[in-house]
Amino acid sequence: MGWIVKIIVLCFVVGFALSVFDIDPAAILTNTWATIRDVFDLAVGVARWAVPYILVGAVVVLPIAAVSILLRWTRARRGP
C-alpha cells in the first residue's frame, strides 16, 4: 500500500514539474522530437542563466577550498 502512495506522489510531482515548464504530456506522445528539442532548449536556457552565477561563485569558493585542502594536507603530513 505504501508504494501506491509513493507512485501517486511521484506522479503529482512530475505532473506539476511538466506544467511549470509548459510541457504538454500529449505532445510528448504525439510529437516526440519537438518535445526533445524543447527540453534541450529549456536546458540550454537554464545553463545560460546559471553559468555566470557559477563562475562568480567559483571566484570565491575555489580559493577557499584550495586553502582548506592545503591545510588538511599539511596537518596529515605532520602526523600524530
Side-chain angles (χ1 to χ4, degrees):
M1 188 67 167
W3 64 273
I4 293 174
V5 174
K6 289 179 185 178
I7 294 294
I8 291 172
V9 170
L10 183 61
C11 288
F12 173 77
V13 169
V14 170
F16 182 75
L18 289 174
S19 69
V20 166
F21 293 120
D22 271 341
I23 298 173
D24 182 22
I28 293 173
L29 299 174
T30 59
N31 199 355
T32 306
W33 287 114
T35 303
I36 291 171
R37 188 180 65 237
D38 290 343
V39 170
F40 179 76
D41 290 342
L42 180 65
V44 169
V46 168
R48 284 186 182 157
W49 170 81
V51 166
Y53 294 111
I54 292 170
L55 294 176
V56 168
V59 168
V60 174
V61 172
L62 291 180
I64 292 171
V67 168
S68 174
I69 291 169
L70 182 65
L71 288 174
R72 258 189 278 146
W73 180 71
T74 57
R75 280 189 220 134
R77 195 171 165 130
R78 264 191 264 160

